[in-house]
Amino acid sequence: MKLVFWTIGNARTASTRLRVHQYLPLLQQDGIAVECHEIPKGFLQRKVLRLKLPKAGHLFVQKKLFGPRTVSDLRRHCTRLVFDVDDAIYVDGEGSQRNQTRFAQITRAADSVLAGNPTLAKATADPKKATVLPTPVDTDVFSPGPWSDRDPNCVAWIGSRTNLKNLDLFFPAFEQHRKQFPKTHLVVMADRAPEPCPDGVRFEPWDPESEKALLKRATLGIMPLYDTPFTRGKCGFKILLYQAAGLPVLASPVGVNPSLVLGGHELANDSEGWVQGLARAFETPDDLRARGEAGREKVHRESSLTALYPKFRDLIT
């Protein structure tokens, strides 16, 4: 059997790296041949790639919304079409239904849809064909170090420039918290620094090794998130990443987040909730360690690469 993957990016693109490339070595170990192509932006390049599709093959398309002609061609060229989605890509701008229409077309044409959370699964044209499959975290790569090595004043946020705006929900509470705990600092690890960068906020450029080092150094991981139709489709990977590294979490109760954290004490509904959550974390350091250990157990059991791979393999083959 040969599986062909069409992805939205390469191995450095977060979604592609986590939802496709992590699985490829495991598929090959199981004797399954794989071929991976980044979807070109140009129409002609996409047409050439489409013509190279092996007939009677299995095709995995990662969250790319094509026009109806391309969807029809893909359906004719493969015996099994799998569509993967981990964002609310069906959300359109004001006055437009283009994305919603195309999302319905490809999820209707697919034999199976892998959805990163229940919200995305329900949004498909035929939810009966959709299976919820969280974004896996490799708990062998991301593992806790000794708690004694952590900086008791370090809070971590890891993400991309497109999500930096969500930190605006956190900054007022962080400023208030620092009046009582002035040594507390936030490390923002991304591909761009937040602008402006408030007092107590340190920027570190993202790279794989720096990410692992920060997760072993920090004491708390945060995921503030505005509540919008698009963010309700987020899959909460930041939370899973923090938990894998043994970090306790404080997050906005948006989308899938409440089902990922350990309970209401790890959620912040508003600015006052963030203030209280930070105070609780830094006033009870022993509780932080216990929360980190419990989160690690939860993510290893429910969302680790080891736990999810058999289900992924069975759904796409």
Side-chain angles (χ1 to χ4, degrees):
M1 176 188 296
K2 186 174 188 177
L3 292 174
V4 178
F5 290 84
W6 280 13
T7 65
I8 60 162
N10 55 34
R12 285 189 63 85
T13 306
S15 182
T16 301
R17 181 177 73 251
L18 298 170
R19 291 189 69 84
V20 177
H21 281 264
Q22 285 196 107
Y23 287 122
L24 299 184
L26 299 175
L27 290 168
Q28 291 169 326
Q29 288 173 19
D30 281 348
I32 299 171
V34 297
E35 187 178 300
C36 196
H37 301 279
E38 184 176 352
I39 301 170
K41 291 182 170 58
F43 172 78
L44 290 178
Q45 293 94 330
R46 289 201 299 269
K47 185 174 182 179
V48 170
L49 182 59
R50 191 166 73 248
L51 291 173
K52 292 181 179 179
L53 275 177
K55 289 190 176 181
H58 290 208
L59 176 64
F60 178 105
V61 175
Q62 188 199 13
K63 71 174 185 183
K64 176 67 177 177
L65 298 180
F66 297 111
R69 179 180 295 181
T70 300
V71 172
S72 179
D73 285 350
L74 294 179
R75 183 65 278 181
R76 286 198 305 268
H77 275 81
C78 56
T79 54
R80 183 164 179 79
L81 176 62
V82 178
F83 185 71
D84 182 75
V85 57
D86 67 340
D87 267 321
I89 55 175
Y90 48 82
V91 174
D92 287 280
E94 187 175 349
S96 171
Q97 290 188 323
R98 178 177 178 271
N99 288 353
Q100 188 174 347
T101 299
R102 290 191 168 190
F103 185 74
Q105 288 169 342
I106 196 162
T107 57
R108 185 180 297 112
D111 295 291
S112 179
V113 177
L114 307 188
N117 63 52
T119 297
L120 302 177
K122 291 176 183 176
T124 62
D126 185 358
K128 293 179 182 178
K129 293 194 293 187
T131 301
V132 175
L133 195 73
T135 301
V137 58
D138 191 335
T139 51
D140 292 329
V141 172
F142 296 100
S143 58
W147 189 263
S148 58
D149 289 350
R150 295 190 182 274
D151 181 344
N153 300 304
C154 181
V155 179
W157 181 92
I158 299 173
S160 66
R161 65 176 65 194
T162 57
N163 291 313
L164 284 170
K165 58 183 176 293
N166 291 295
L167 286 169
D168 292 341
L169 287 170
F170 176 74
F171 285 151
F174 181 63
E175 182 179 355
Q176 185 174 338
H177 173 80
R178 276 174 46 84
K179 293 176 181 178
Q180 184 178 357
F181 300 91
K183 292 183 179 180
T184 305
H185 59 275
L186 170 68
V187 176
V188 172
M189 182 167 284
D191 52 344
R192 195 192 74 191
E195 297 175 358
C197 204
D199 290 343
V201 177
R202 306 174 187 176
F203 168 69
E204 294 184 12
W206 181 91
D207 70 63
E209 294 308 312
S210 297
E211 179 180 58
K212 284 184 277 190
L214 174 59
L215 289 168
K216 289 183 183 295
R217 185 171 89 239
T219 301
L220 181 71
I222 61 166
M223 187 181 173
L225 202 61
Y226 282 104
D227 188 3
T228 70
F230 183 77
T231 59
R232 288 171 209 147
K234 288 287 185 183
C235 295
F237 185 75
K238 281 187 188 63
I239 293 175
L240 303 181
L241 189 63
Y242 298 148
Q243 290 174 329
L247 269 183
V249 176
L250 192 59
S252 297
V254 176
V256 75
N257 287 3
S259 68
L260 301 181
V261 300
L262 298 175
H265 60 289
E266 292 200 325
L267 296 171
N269 288 288
D270 49 27
S271 185
E272 183 59 30
W274 284 103
V275 171
Q276 293 176 0
L278 285 170
R280 184 166 52 244
F282 285 88
E283 289 170 355
T284 56
D286 291 341
D287 182 52
L288 282 182
R289 181 173 183 171
R291 282 166 54 186
E293 291 172 349
R296 164 76 182 182
E297 292 177 6
K298 185 176 189 295
V299 76
H300 183 72
R301 181 177 65 252
E302 298 176 0
S303 303
S304 67
L305 183 61
T306 302
L308 294 179
Y309 169 65
K311 188 175 183 180
F312 175 83
R313 179 196 58 212
D314 293 346
L315 286 167
I316 67 172
T317 57

